[in-house]
Amino acid sequence: MELRKKYNIPNNAVITIAGTVGVGKSTMTKTLAEALGFRTSFEKVDSNPYLDKFYQDFNRWSFHLQIYFLAERFKEQKRIFEYGGGFIQDRSIYEDTGIFARMHFEKGTMSKVDYETYKNLFDAMVMTPYFPHPNLLIYLEGSIDEVIERIQRRGRPMEQSTPVEYWIEMHKRYEDWINSFNACPVLRLNINEYDLVSDQASIDPIVEKIGFFIKQTQLLKG
């Protein structure tokens, strides 16, 4: 909380953490929330009624899964802002349409009609002046070699059995997505420039960057 005051970060700010698998989104979310005295918002995976079905049959359940994610993230975004902000959010509502739904459509596991229906719904719900967008999206980036090394190091069984080609494709899709993303201000952080696991003090310069970035975007808004 002292860092938040030191760098003039509004106590009602909402900051979203984005990036491909293995870049440390959860660690950044927890550490940053603790440093700022903010609450955290994590994706609820255990209660998802479509996830198991989806892994058994992509073609049948991809649309249902994406609609479920959209509804849950929309409700969570509303809850955060109704609460008055002061949140660090692990993953954004924007990644689902910009990366995952698009990937299913391009790979043929979601029909054109379903994809267009999903996109129209997303645009009507999210891409409007009435939707409460985050103050800042922090994008965690690193090379594909660094990302794969981190995935292998943490040793999650499902990730270990996933072909390397999938992580390479996902890394590229994330890079393409963030390069054209403009729904809210973006701060890029290279994962080599800090180590929150062994040196929690490395969050300090990150908080300083956030404070400076938010101030600059406020000035640009006038």
Side-chain angles (χ1 to χ4, degrees):
M1 193 176 295
E2 292 303 317
L3 283 176
R4 177 175 61 76
K5 292 178 180 177
K6 181 179 179 181
Y7 296 116
N8 297 313
I9 296 172
N11 59 11
N12 64 345
V14 175
I15 299 170
T16 297
I17 312 298
T20 191
V21 173
V23 291
K25 293 186 295 295
S26 297
T27 301
M28 176 62 76
T29 299
K30 292 172 188 172
T31 309
L32 192 54
E34 188 176 319
L36 298 178
F38 279 10
R39 292 173 176 81
T40 56
S41 172
F42 288 96
E43 183 178 33
K44 298 177 182 69
V45 176
D46 295 341
S47 59
N48 190 322
Y50 293 108
L51 208 53
D52 289 340
K53 295 175 183 177
F54 165 73
Y55 280 114
Q56 291 168 13
D57 189 340
F58 288 175
N59 293 61
R60 182 175 180 183
W61 297 106
S62 63
F63 177 72
H64 300 74
L65 182 71
Q66 293 303 145
I67 290 293
Y68 177 84
F69 277 137
L70 176 59
E72 290 302 302
R73 293 197 206 285
F74 186 84
K75 287 189 291 186
E76 180 65 3
Q77 199 80 354
K78 274 189 66 183
R79 182 186 76 86
I80 286 171
F81 279 88
E82 286 169 357
Y83 202 94
F87 273 83
I88 308 297
Q89 188 178 33
D90 183 1
R91 289 201 47 190
S92 73
I93 195 170
Y94 312 104
E95 290 157 79
D96 280 320
T97 184
I99 298 170
F100 296 99
R102 185 174 186 172
M103 178 176 69
H104 284 300
F105 168 60
E106 290 176 355
K107 285 183 171 293
T109 51
M110 184 185 291
S111 71
K112 183 179 180 182
V113 171
D114 282 350
Y115 179 65
E116 288 178 351
T117 299
Y118 170 81
K119 270 282 290 155
N120 289 336
L121 184 60
F122 176 88
D123 290 344
M125 291 171 67
V126 178
M127 302 310 289
T128 73
Y130 312 106
F131 181 79
H133 297 280
N135 299 85
L136 182 65
L137 184 142
I138 297 177
Y139 181 70
L140 307 182
E141 60 186 355
S143 71
I144 182 58
D145 291 337
E146 291 161 342
V147 168
I148 291 172
E149 192 273 329
R150 287 186 175 212
I151 290 170
Q152 291 171 343
R153 193 167 61 204
R154 72 182 181 185
R156 293 178 181 172
M158 191 178 77
E159 293 175 356
Q160 298 304 303
S161 62
T162 301
V164 171
E165 289 75 20
Y166 176 81
W167 305 127
I168 294 171
E169 179 183 359
M170 195 55 60
H171 184 269
K172 184 180 186 307
R173 286 185 179 275
Y174 260 94
E175 289 294 301
D176 291 344
W177 167 72
I178 198 63
N179 286 336
S180 60
F181 178 80
N182 59 7
C184 70
V186 175
L187 172 61
R188 292 175 180 248
L189 293 178
N190 191 293
I191 58 177
N192 285 318
E193 295 176 359
Y194 58 88
D195 185 352
L196 301 180
V197 176
S198 60
D199 179 17
Q200 289 205 342
S202 63
I203 196 69
D204 293 24
I206 293 173
V207 174
E208 184 177 5
K209 284 181 182 179
I210 293 169
F212 177 79
F213 206 84
I214 288 177
K215 183 180 179 182
Q216 291 300 111
T217 55
Q218 287 173 338
L219 289 173
L220 288 173
K221 286 180 180 179

